[in-house]
Amino acid sequence: MLDTRVDGTITPVTADHLEEGLRVAEREGYAAYLIEMDTPGGLLQSTREIVQEFLAAEVPVVVYVTPSGARAASAGAYITMSAHVAAMAPGTHVGAGTPVTGQGDKASEKVINDSAAFAVSIAEQRDRSADFARDMVREGTSVSDSQAVRTDVVDLMAPSRGALLDEVDGRTVVVGGPGGEREVVLRTADARVETHDLGVFR
């Protein structure tokens, strides 16, 4: 399994890093691509690029909001929902996806409508809560880890990476883009974890 860490704002550098890691995971046949994340949000265009890559990924993508106290806010929420498996550590939260301008003001209604449609499309593709996806954009809704599991925003809570890998072992996910979908059974319980650090594969 290939593992990487995202801390801080989602930027073009973040997008390049995650997309590069995905290519490595696909090319080298890793069991899955795990992203451990704590982000307050970031640029919508970078987020769209990441989400498009994850939705068409040829290997299972697992996003884990961690450690306790972390968040997948705004851009992070879109990315979390786009994963094949979305998990959260206890004491984390996800949501607050209302887009803002570069000056921090609420974006125009046109941008909000577009962002809401984007969020809902992600939720529908991954069989997550479309109501939450819409509300996190329009109302700025954010939920805790337990609420997220209960309302079908994410798949599970896990207190550690090891517990997460044990819990998702044996799950079946569908990978690949339109026309190339196939089922993959996750084999993660005893998987060797290798780290993809920013710049390592450049």
Side-chain angles (χ1 to χ4, degrees):
M1 169 174 284
L2 190 64
D3 172 69
T4 196
R5 176 92 212 162
V6 173
D7 282 306
T9 305
I10 304 300
T11 66
V13 172
T14 312
D16 287 347
H17 173 61
L18 292 179
E19 291 166 25
E20 191 173 55
L22 179 59
R23 295 288 88 80
V24 171
E26 291 172 335
R27 184 175 65 246
E28 300 188 10
Y30 283 89
Y33 183 33
L34 172 64
I35 298 93
E36 300 183 54
M37 187 164 62
D38 178 10
T39 178
L43 298 177
L44 186 56
Q45 182 57 41
S46 297
T47 303
R48 286 183 181 276
E49 292 172 7
I50 294 165
V51 167
Q52 288 167 1
E53 292 287 340
F54 285 5
L55 290 177
E58 295 291 339
V59 298
V61 174
V62 181
V63 170
Y64 182 31
V65 185
T66 186
S68 181
R71 57 184 169 167
S74 191
Y78 295 84
I79 295 167
T80 299
M81 291 193 301
S82 73
H84 296 94
V85 178
M88 299 174 70
T92 57
H93 62 276
V94 61
T98 305
V100 296
T101 67
Q103 289 71 44
D105 300 321
K106 187 176 179 180
S108 69
E109 192 63 25
K110 179 180 178 180
V111 172
I112 290 173
N113 288 341
D114 183 64
S115 298
F118 178 49
V120 169
S121 72
I122 297 168
E124 290 176 343
Q125 288 185 71
R126 290 293 188 235
D127 198 26
R128 306 196 188 283
S129 172
D131 287 340
F132 170 80
R134 186 180 302 108
D135 289 347
M136 79 165 189
V137 176
R138 295 196 175 282
E139 310 298 333
T141 300
S142 183
V143 294
S144 68
D145 50 285
S146 58
Q147 289 174 299
V149 173
R150 194 164 56 246
T151 55
D152 296 322
V153 178
V154 302
D155 301 296
L156 71 154
M157 285 186 292
S160 66
R161 183 174 69 184
L164 169 63
L165 299 186
D166 286 342
E167 180 67 24
V168 302
D169 186 66
R171 289 193 181 212
T172 300
V173 299
V174 177
V175 301
E181 300 96 335
R182 59 189 174 86
E183 290 189 345
V184 173
V185 178
L186 284 162
R187 299 300 182 199
T188 53
D190 299 313
R192 185 179 66 193
V193 178
E194 297 183 7
T195 302
H196 171 212
D197 289 323
L198 182 63
V200 167
F201 295 101
R202 291 186 183 278

